[in-house]
Amino acid sequence: MDEIRTELLSSKGIGSVLFLDETDRKKIIEFEREDELNGSIVCGKKNNAGIRQVLDCDVMMGFLTNNEFQWPTNHIKVMHGDKLIGEDVCDPLDLQEYRDDHEYCVLGNIVILYEEFLKGNSSNDPIYMVINAHPFPSIEVVSGISGARIASPSRASDEYMRSLSQEDKMVQVGSFLLGFNLKPLEYASSLVAAPLKSSVY
């Protein structure tokens, strides 16, 4: 596990790595279940498919990021039925262009077609948000692991992870959960003690 921590900290923008045990996993499951039940005030129902994928991995860790971390693109999708009506945009210049275009509604860094947004909010088939996981192959140089991916946690899980960190919380601007699987025939000795999953919601 120390080798994975070293690889993570060598990635630009990662300021703190958290080893999460089974107690942490169960608490995060509860936070995420409650978050999905509450949904998003603006975008209705929330489906954090990415968190489910991470929670389904053999091992789960967390890390906090600062402004230098390269956030994944195509992270959030806003749907109305089976129609994509919005998504996250990372580039500040692109965001400003969308803000200046009256066809779009910009909420933070999420860009939504304005007309479709109004239709969704007045429809019996409401809009909903899907949050995806993303591959994180940089740690797969460590022997014995595969399928590494990261996902954005809910605000409650984010606050929980920050409470576990010993780093200066003022410099951290975000957090991710990291999940990966263990290769049965290639167990590295440093991974044997890793806490394995027991359940997902």
Side-chain angles (χ1 to χ4, degrees):
M1 296 298 283
D2 287 339
E3 191 174 351
I4 293 174
R5 182 178 187 275
T6 299
E7 288 295 331
L8 286 171
L9 290 175
S10 70
S11 300
K12 189 175 183 180
I14 295 180
S16 182
V17 175
L18 308 169
F19 296 105
L20 303 174
D21 60 22
E22 190 58 23
T23 298
D24 299 322
R25 182 190 288 268
K26 288 177 180 177
K27 286 184 178 180
I28 289 171
I29 287 173
E30 289 302 314
F31 290 142
E32 297 304 321
R33 181 185 290 124
E34 184 175 354
D35 186 63
E36 284 202 346
L37 288 173
N38 291 336
S40 166
I41 294 174
V42 176
C43 296
K45 185 178 178 182
K46 184 185 293 184
N47 176 11
N48 197 333
I51 285 293
R52 291 174 184 270
Q53 291 175 35
V54 167
L55 287 167
D56 199 38
C57 290
D58 292 336
V59 180
M60 186 176 74
M61 299 172 65
F63 61 84
L64 304 182
T65 64
N66 59 36
N67 285 318
E68 295 184 323
F69 184 72
Q70 185 64 51
W71 281 60
T73 56
N74 300 319
H75 190 56
I76 296 172
K77 304 292 184 187
V78 180
M79 308 293 295
H80 184 209
D82 59 358
K83 184 177 182 181
L84 176 68
I85 66 168
E87 59 189 347
D88 58 316
V89 175
C90 294
D91 188 288
L93 295 178
D94 290 341
L95 272 175
Q96 188 57 51
E97 287 185 13
Y98 282 116
R99 288 191 186 98
D100 295 337
D101 189 331
H102 298 299
E103 291 187 9
Y104 296 93
C105 173
V106 179
L107 306 170
N109 71 325
I110 301 173
V111 175
I112 307 174
L113 286 164
Y114 187 63
E115 186 174 340
E116 296 294 335
F117 180 68
L118 294 178
K119 286 180 183 178
N121 281 334
S122 61
S123 169
N124 291 327
D125 183 21
I127 62 177
Y128 61 98
M129 178 187 295
V130 178
I131 306 170
N132 297 308
H134 287 268
F136 200 72
S138 63
I139 67 162
E140 293 192 19
V141 297
V142 177
S143 176
I145 71 171
S146 66
R149 64 200 69 182
I150 59 173
S152 285
S154 65
R155 180 170 295 182
S157 294
D158 171 81
E159 290 175 354
Y160 176 73
M161 287 195 288
R162 289 171 190 271
S163 74
L164 299 176
S165 174
Q166 302 300 313
E167 304 291 334
D168 181 359
K169 297 174 180 58
M170 295 301 292
V171 302
Q172 313 296 342
V173 298
S175 65
F176 284 91
L177 285 169
L178 164 70
F180 56 87
N181 296 316
L182 302 178
K183 296 178 181 178
L185 300 179
E186 300 180 30
Y187 260 28
S189 60
S190 62
L191 296 178
V192 171
L196 304 183
K197 70 173 182 182
S198 65
S199 61
V200 295
Y201 69 104

